[in-house]
Amino acid sequence: MSPVSVRDPIIETERLILRPFEPEDFAAYCAYHVRGDVYRYLYAAPPDRETLQRQYTSVIRPVFVQQGDVFKLAVIAKDGDYLVGEVLLKFANEQALQGEVGYIFDPTYAGHGFATEATRAIITYGFQQFGLHRIFARLDTGNTGSIGVVERLKLRREAHFVQNERFSGIWGSEYVYAILEHEWASMK
């Protein structure tokens, strides 16, 4: 796969704008990244402010050139121009043209369908702009909200890994959902 230009990508949906993070988004980004309930299924503790600043600096310019790159966009609600969360595509396997989709949303805005709408847009972008063959999501089996997102989008559950993750002495299990480009294209 040859490198794809992702300079200042803007993706619009009916209610959302997906765009690169800007310096002024940092306060809203921190507001949900310090919440324990947001990190409950991420197998990590909420980062401290210094760590958040380093993370934030690395997400301001989305990159999708080589395996391991993470293309992360801010999700902005059009009705008030406020940050509701983020979506990402990780370049998981260059040879097999695979990307991993992920998302983190501020629980303040839960229940409005923003995660589903934004995830649909980033999956479409991954297939159309990056030429991916397969996009998958890895989810904790207890994360019913995220499971609902990928199931509404018609991703197929391909795997159930039992107690494959451990955080703070607690075992967690994981589902893997996926969809192929031709399957996604046929759903339009």
Side-chain angles (χ1 to χ4, degrees):
M1 176 179 212
S2 59
V4 176
S5 173
V6 291
R7 186 179 175 129
D8 300 325
I10 303 288
I11 304 168
E12 287 198 44
T13 69
E14 182 181 336
R15 301 177 300 153
L16 304 170
I17 297 171
L18 284 62
R19 59 150 172 82
F21 280 92
E22 298 172 352
E24 54 271 13
D25 297 326
F26 184 65
Y29 176 88
C30 284
Y32 64 88
H33 272 275
V34 298
R35 293 179 59 151
D37 56 341
V38 168
Y39 276 76
R40 180 176 173 196
Y41 299 113
L42 298 179
Y43 301 116
D48 60 34
R49 190 160 178 91
E50 185 178 306
T51 302
L52 275 173
Q53 184 64 59
R54 279 194 311 273
Q55 285 176 351
Y56 194 73
T57 301
S58 72
V59 302
I60 292 216
R61 276 285 189 219
V63 177
F64 202 88
V65 176
Q66 62 186 4
Q67 190 165 309
D69 284 349
V70 178
F71 179 79
K72 189 178 287 193
L73 296 176
V75 179
I76 308 298
K78 286 181 179 179
D79 70 355
D81 195 32
Y82 52 94
L83 180 70
V84 296
E86 62 202 65
V87 291
L88 66 87
L89 275 176
K90 180 179 181 184
F91 202 174
N93 187 316
E94 189 171 357
Q95 186 69 26
L97 299 175
Q98 292 189 51
E100 179 180 356
V101 68
Y103 40 87
I104 302 174
F105 281 80
D106 186 332
T108 305
Y109 306 110
H112 298 285
F114 292 149
T116 303
E117 188 172 331
T119 303
R120 178 181 289 112
I122 198 73
I123 289 173
T124 299
Y125 194 85
F127 286 134
Q128 292 178 353
Q129 300 301 314
F130 296 143
L132 294 174
H133 169 70
R134 178 176 180 270
I135 294 177
F136 65 93
R138 296 178 312 132
L139 310 167
D140 186 284
T141 60
N143 191 345
T144 56
S146 282
I147 291 167
V149 168
V150 295
E151 288 184 350
R152 278 189 292 281
L153 294 173
K154 308 294 187 215
L155 275 70
R156 162 186 57 259
R157 185 184 300 173
E158 293 186 335
H160 179 185
F161 297 106
V162 178
Q163 295 186 355
N164 68 315
E165 292 286 347
R166 189 171 180 181
F167 178 69
S168 294
I170 299 170
W171 287 103
S173 298
E174 185 176 70
Y175 290 136
V176 174
Y177 284 81
I179 194 157
L180 301 175
E181 187 281 329
H182 74 272
E183 295 169 326
W184 188 257
S186 73
M187 289 193 296
K188 291 186 176 189

